[in-house]
Amino acid sequence: MTSETSELVLKDQFPGLAGNWHYLDTAATSQKPQVVIDATVAAMGEKYATVHRGVYARSADMTLAFEAARRRVAAFMNAQEDEIVFTRGATESINLVAQSWAATNLKAGDRILLSTLEHHSNIVPWQLLRNGVEIDVCPLTPEGTIDLEAAERMLTPAHKLVAFAHVSNVLGSVLHVEHAARLAHAVGAKLLIDGCQAAPRLALDVQAFDCDFYAFSAHKLYGPTGIGVLWARKALLDQMPPWQGGGSMIDKVTFAETTYAPAPQRFEAGTPNIVEAVGMAAAMDWLSDIGLDRAEKHERDLAGLLRAELRKRNDVTLFGPDDSLGIVSFALEGVHPHDLGTILDEEGVAIRAGHHCAQPLMEHLGVPATARASFGLYSDEQDIEALLKGIERTRRIFG
């Protein structure tokens, strides 16, 4: 097996990859580099205190670190600091938009346009609105990308929101966000982007994207679980009502009336994920030092190499475009993906097998599930070799 994959030797920075273990499930969650672990442990240990409340020095220091993390996220996305809302993850970010912006601004007869390849987290929150809003579904191109020509034909002034994935978690296909924004805005709709798979692999620039909402999770970009980001245009955030009540999100509380803090604080009820915010900022520093351009090339190269190797087999069906970004989904003839995943685990190879929280896409592909290998900055050709060896062993077992 020969290739021109980019040279990144990073495995030794990841304690979770110690031993002869080949981790190919980065699209589900990434392993964490030691620098992120160290920053998180320090924030939980000798630096720990609450934020925004204490008058003592350590609380003040932690508040500075917490808000510095917000500034780091803003820089990572080319955004303004007061446009960054910390959430528990992209799922909560999308639910926040649904329960605050959409519940306030949409009414019966309005329409939302999604696509066939969306993750359940970008489907179910809109169904939970239950206010008479209708959902339309944009089809895919034969290559597995969102068909923006079809979207243009489908969009009408009744559409108030378009919500698309930047990168498919199953197919690795990439959306042209700027094009989608032009189409949405042409009919007066807002554009929300699920950026979970894009944030670890593509440079983010919400100004260039011209979208209205952008959501992602830290744990997919080498940071901690339990924290994510909602970016929204400041004008939209200022108009949105809070969706959860509690401490920190208030201005003044009486039993007669409560007034709320300005955005983004009004959307961050309760004690925030302090430690996780610091860890996320450390992950962004680490990733930015390596370079998003290198990350994109490295993972595209590995995905291309794996697709080329699998294409040599007559018992494998590949899904998605040839230029998929770090994600390769496939089916091995006569073998359920769960069985393949179990045998690969015995070989020290970790893949994802299932519907990947994208059941409508599975129906479109005509399969109940797929096997999915997904790469990170720590992945290399040895991981692919181990996967191919495991597939060959599976073939011998199943005949």
Side-chain angles (χ1 to χ4, degrees):
M1 180 175 65
T2 60
S3 76
E4 297 180 356
T5 56
S6 55
E7 292 297 326
L8 283 173
V9 183
L10 299 173
K11 267 195 168 76
D12 59 354
Q13 298 186 34
F14 291 81
L17 296 176
N20 190 28
W21 193 49
H22 302 278
Y23 184 72
L24 292 171
D25 197 20
T26 300
T29 194
S30 62
Q31 296 292 318
K32 318 305 174 192
Q34 188 64 53
V35 292
V36 171
I37 296 170
D38 291 344
T40 304
V41 170
M44 189 178 290
E46 66 267 22
K47 296 181 179 180
Y48 184 74
T50 192
V51 297
H52 300 150
R53 294 185 180 91
V55 297
Y56 49 92
R58 187 183 291 188
S59 176
D61 290 344
M62 185 56 85
T63 298
L64 291 174
F66 181 75
E67 291 303 330
R70 196 186 306 273
R71 289 193 297 276
R72 184 66 188 89
V73 173
F76 190 78
M77 307 179 71
N78 191 24
Q80 298 175 191
E81 182 182 349
D82 56 1
E83 295 174 325
I84 303 299
V85 180
F86 287 143
T87 64
R88 291 184 300 162
T91 297
E92 184 169 276
S93 296
I94 296 171
N95 275 275
L96 192 165
V97 177
Q99 296 303 316
S100 178
W101 179 84
T104 304
N105 289 278
L106 305 191
K107 61 186 185 306
D110 289 337
R111 310 189 76 86
I112 295 173
L113 182 64
L114 308 178
S115 83
T116 302
L117 59 68
E118 299 307 316
H119 190 281
H120 297 165
S121 294
N122 199 25
I123 300 173
V124 180
W126 313 115
Q127 294 173 332
L128 289 174
L129 284 172
R130 299 192 181 94
N131 58 356
V133 173
E134 298 291 332
I135 294 174
D136 296 316
V137 182
C138 181
L140 307 181
T141 66
E143 294 76 26
T145 60
I146 298 174
D147 190 339
L148 292 181
E149 291 185 1
E152 184 173 15
R153 293 191 297 269
M154 295 175 70
L155 283 167
T156 71
H159 287 93
K160 305 303 180 185
L161 178 70
V162 177
F164 286 162
H166 195 165
V167 176
S168 168
N169 74 308
V170 176
L171 304 176
S173 53
V174 182
L175 173 73
H176 193 300
V177 177
E178 296 92 329
H179 187 183
R182 289 194 296 270
L183 298 181
H185 295 159
V187 297
K190 307 300 183 189
L191 176 65
L192 179 145
I193 296 296
D194 171 1
C196 276
Q197 300 299 333
R201 301 175 173 89
L202 297 174
L204 303 186
D205 186 342
V206 293
Q207 306 306 319
F209 292 161
D210 199 28
C211 55
D212 301 284
F213 304 98
Y214 199 99
F216 64 87
S217 297
H219 74 96
K220 294 183 188 290
L221 58 82
Y222 310 99
T225 56
I227 191 166
V229 169
L230 171 65
W231 170 85
R233 296 182 184 274
K234 185 64 164 59
L236 291 174
L237 284 178
D238 287 344
Q239 297 169 3
M240 290 164 54
W243 78 306
Q244 293 177 334
S248 299
M249 48 75 69
I250 55 89
D251 174 32
K252 182 179 180 181
V253 175
T254 70
F255 283 109
E257 182 184 22
T258 295
T259 55
Y260 304 110
Q265 283 74 27
R266 77 159 63 108
F267 304 108
E268 298 178 2
T271 302
N273 294 332
I274 304 165
V275 171
E276 291 78 5
V278 172
M280 176 168 61
M284 289 178 173
D285 285 342
W286 177 85
L287 185 55
S288 296
D289 285 346
I290 291 170
L292 271 299
D293 55 341
R294 295 180 71 195
E296 178 181 358
K297 182 181 188 312
H298 181 70
E299 296 182 35
R300 280 193 190 276
D301 287 349
L302 288 172
L305 176 59
L306 176 56
R307 291 182 70 89
E309 291 296 322
L310 291 176
R311 198 175 289 112
K312 296 175 182 178
R313 303 184 63 98
N314 59 15
D315 58 351
V316 168
T317 301
L318 283 163
F319 303 102
D322 282 342
D323 62 346
S324 59
L325 179 52
I327 297 170
V328 179
S329 285
F330 62 97
L332 184 61
E333 183 180 348
V335 181
H336 193 283
H338 290 165
D339 293 327
L340 174 60
T342 299
I343 295 172
L344 287 172
D345 185 44
E346 295 173 355
E347 295 289 315
V349 179
I351 66 163
R352 180 61 53 132
H355 55 64
H356 317 297
C357 294
Q359 287 178 304
L361 178 55
M362 295 298 110
E363 183 177 356
H364 168 77
L365 297 175
V367 294
T370 71
R372 183 187 71 187
S374 52
F375 299 102
L377 279 166
Y378 37 69
S379 305
D380 56 27
E381 293 183 19
Q382 293 180 355
D383 299 320
I384 294 178
E385 292 169 357
L387 172 62
L388 295 173
K389 178 182 175 183
I391 290 173
E392 188 57 38
R393 178 182 172 224
T394 304
R395 181 78 285 157
R396 292 195 300 270
I397 291 172
F398 280 85

